[in-house]
Amino acid sequence: MASEAKASPRRYPMYINGEFVESADKKYFPVVDPSTEEVMAEVPEANETDVNRAVAAAKAAFDSGAWPQTTAQDRGRILFRLAERIRKEAPHLAELEARNSGKPIVEAEYDINDAATCFEYYGGMATKILGQVNPVPDNALSLSLREPIGVAAQIIPWNYPLLMAAWKLAPAIAAGCTCILKPAEQTPLTALEFASYLADAGLPAGVVNIITGFGETCGAPLVKHPDVDKVAFTGSAEVGKAIMRAAADTVKRVTLELGGKSPNIFFADADFESAIDGALFGVFINQGEVCSAGSRILVEKSIYPKFVEAMSAKAKTIRLGPPLERETKMGPLVSKDQFDRVRSYQELGKKEGKVAAGGGRSASFKRGYYVEPTIFYDVDNTARIAQEEIFGPVAAVIPFADEAEALRIANATPYGLAAAVWSRDIFKAFRMVKALRAGIVWVNHMQPTYVEAPWGGYKQSGFGRELGPWGIEEYLETKQVHINLNEQPIGWY
Ligand code: ADP
Ligand code: MG
C-alpha cells in the first residue's frame, strides 16, 4: 500500500557575504512548530567553518569595498528601506513568527511593527551621530570622532525573534559596523526571511551575515573569533557569563541583556481593576517568555486575599489556543525543552507555595507545548520559584506589610532588569522608583517598551543599554584627534 507521502519541510538557506548558502558540511537541523510538535522547516547547522566564513565576510566588508565609503545618509536610507520592506511583508512575517515561536498572532503583529519602527528610528539616527570639539588649553584643534567599533557578533534568543534581530542590527548598521547575527536555534525563520531584504535595500555584501546553528557549535566559536570586535548578547544569565569570560581573551566589547526576576509591586491604594490586569499582563504576556516578566508579584497585606482571588479568577479565563487564531491570548511554549523546564517549576511551586491557578500542562490540547497560566501564593522570596528565572507563565505572589518591606523584598534578587509599582500616592511611588535597583521601572503599568527609551539591566541582568541613543553608543568607538595649529617647530630637544 502506498502511504501518503508527506511534503518534506522547506529548507531555508542562511546568508553569508550576500549569498544564500548551505553550511560547509551541508547539515541541516529541524525547526519545530510548538503548537503541532511537527517539523515546519529545516535550516543549515553552521559550525566553526561557517563562522569563520561569515566573520571573514564581515571583516572584509568593514575594511574595504563600498561599506566604509557609505555616508551616514546612505546608511539611514538603507534602514528606512528595510523598515518599509518589513511593513510590506508584515502579514507573512507575523504569521511565520507566530507559528515558529508559539506566540499569539496579535502579539506577533505588534512585534513585527516594532521591528520596523526600530529600523526607522535608527535610520533617522544615522545622521545624528555627532563628534565634538574639545576646548584644550593650546593652539590646537582637539576633536573627538565617533567611529564604528567594527565587526559585531550578535546572538539573540527565541522569545522575540525578529524584534531582537532589529534591536541588534539597526543600531549597528546606523553606526557603520558589520554584523554576524545568530538567531536562536528554536526560532531562526523570520531572520532568514529578513535576510532576503538586505541586498534589495542596498546593503553591500558581507555587511550583515545571518547564520543558523547551536550555542556550543556556532555561538561559542563566534564569541571566540579574534576578528570579532564586539559581542552583543541577549539570553540566559548562564550563557551571558560564559560569553563574558570567552570575550576576555581578545578584549572584545561586550553588552549583555540577561534574565530577570522582576517585582511587580501593588500597594493597597492602587486602582484595583487596573492592578489585576497589570499583574496578569506583566507576567503572562508572550506566555511569560519575557526577560522583564513581572514574575514576583508583591501585594500589600490588606488587599492580599482579595487580590490573589481576583487575579486567579481572571487568569483562569485567559484563552489558550493555536497561535494563528486571533482570539488566542496565550500560545504554547516555544519548545519541548522549555515546556519541560516550566513543568518542573510548576511542580516545585506546589512544594514551595500554594496553588491559586493552573499548575500543569493544559488539558485542552493533545499536542503542543501548552501549559496553564499558573499562580502560586504565600511564596517566600527566598524560594527557588521566587529567585530563579522560569521564563514561562508562572507567577509567585508574595505578601508585604509596608513600603520598607516591599522594597527589601523587591531588591532581594541577584537580578535587576525591571520593576513596577502600582499606587495612587505619588510620593510613595516615586520613593520606590528611586530606591528600586532595576534598569527599567514602570509606575501604574508594566511592559510597554519604546525604541526611544533605554533598555537594559542592573546587577546580574547585564550591562549596556539597547534602544534610543544609548543603543548606538554601544557600537561606537571614540577617537581623539589633535591638530596642531602652531606653524613654528615644536622643539624640546
Ligand atoms: P535558552 O537556554 O533559553 O535557550 P540561551 O541563553 O541558551 O537561552 O540562548 C540564547 C542564545 O544564546 C541562543 O542563540 C543560543 O544558541 C546562544 N548560545 C547558547 N549557548 C551559547 C554559548 N556557549 N556561546 C554563545 N552562544 C550561545
Ligand atoms: Mg540554553
Side-chain angles (χ1 to χ4, degrees), residues 211-435:
I211 59 175
T212 48
F214 295 96
E216 291 292 323
T217 47
C218 179
L222 192 52
V223 172
K224 274 204 246 87
H225 200 296
D227 288 337
V228 168
D229 300 292
K230 185 222 157 83
V231 181
F233 173 75
T234 300
S236 63
E238 177 203 350
V239 173
K241 289 172 193 175
I243 285 178
M244 202 169 154
R245 273 184 225 111
D249 279 339
T250 48
V251 195
K252 290 179 172 59
R253 283 85 183 112
V254 178
T255 45
L256 302 174
E257 205 263 82
L258 310 177
K261 196 72 194 178
S262 299
N264 198 359
I265 307 159
F266 295 89
F267 286 100
D269 63 5
D271 178 80
F272 192 76
E273 288 307 311
S274 312
I276 296 302
D277 238 45
L280 294 167
F281 188 78
V283 66
F284 292 147
I285 183 82
N286 204 51
Q287 297 76 239
E289 296 166 320
V290 180
C291 53
S292 58
S295 50
R296 288 188 299 145
I297 297 178
L298 278 47
V299 183
E300 193 164 356
K301 275 183 180 151
S302 59
I303 57 164
Y304 179 74
K306 190 171 101 172
F307 192 101
V308 171
E309 197 185 302
M311 187 184 168
S312 315
K314 207 159 181 190
K316 289 172 189 161
T317 69
I318 291 175
R319 180 160 172 155
L320 269 71
L324 296 185
E325 282 181 15
R326 297 202 71 80
E327 298 73 30
T328 292
K329 290 280 167 69
M330 187 182 284
L333 299 180
V334 71
S335 65
K336 174 78 165 63
D337 278 356
Q338 193 58 17
F339 175 83
D340 290 342
R341 181 183 155 84
V342 171
R343 283 288 301 112
S344 79
Y345 277 109
Q346 285 176 320
E347 293 311 312
L348 178 64
K350 290 171 190 168
K351 297 184 201 115
E352 292 187 329
K354 296 176 187 149
V355 180
R361 160 173 215 150
S362 169
S364 319
F365 303 89
K366 288 207 187 66
R367 297 183 75 75
Y369 308 125
Y370 293 91
V371 298
E372 295 173 309
T374 298
I375 300 170
F376 295 110
Y377 69 109
D378 286 2
V379 178
D380 191 274
N381 192 56
T382 59
R384 283 182 56 203
I385 58 161
Q387 287 293 307
E388 298 173 15
E389 184 174 48
I390 299 173
F391 227 69
V394 181
V397 188
I398 305 168
F400 67 82
D402 55 20
E403 189 182 326
E405 193 185 22
L407 187 63
R408 186 183 58 69
I409 296 172
N411 283 338
T413 164
Y415 292 116
L417 185 58
V421 186
W422 299 69
S423 169
R424 283 166 163 156
D425 176 345
I426 61 164
F427 297 97
K428 184 161 61 185
F430 290 0
R431 280 195 300 271
M432 291 293 288
V433 165
K434 206 168 162 215

Side-chain angles (χ1 to χ4, degrees), residues 184-209:
E185 53 271 32
Q186 298 85 348
T187 56
L189 300 184
T190 47
L192 292 177
E193 271 304 311
F194 174 80
S196 69
Y197 313 159
L198 293 166
D200 288 351
L203 205 73
V207 176
V208 170
N209 305 275

Side-chain angles (χ1 to χ4, degrees), residues 60-83:
F62 186 79
D63 289 341
S64 56
W67 189 240
Q69 309 301 325
T70 53
T71 64
Q73 201 177 55
D74 295 333
R75 294 197 297 278
R77 287 188 173 143
I78 288 168
L79 290 165
F80 288 131
R81 286 195 285 268
L82 287 171

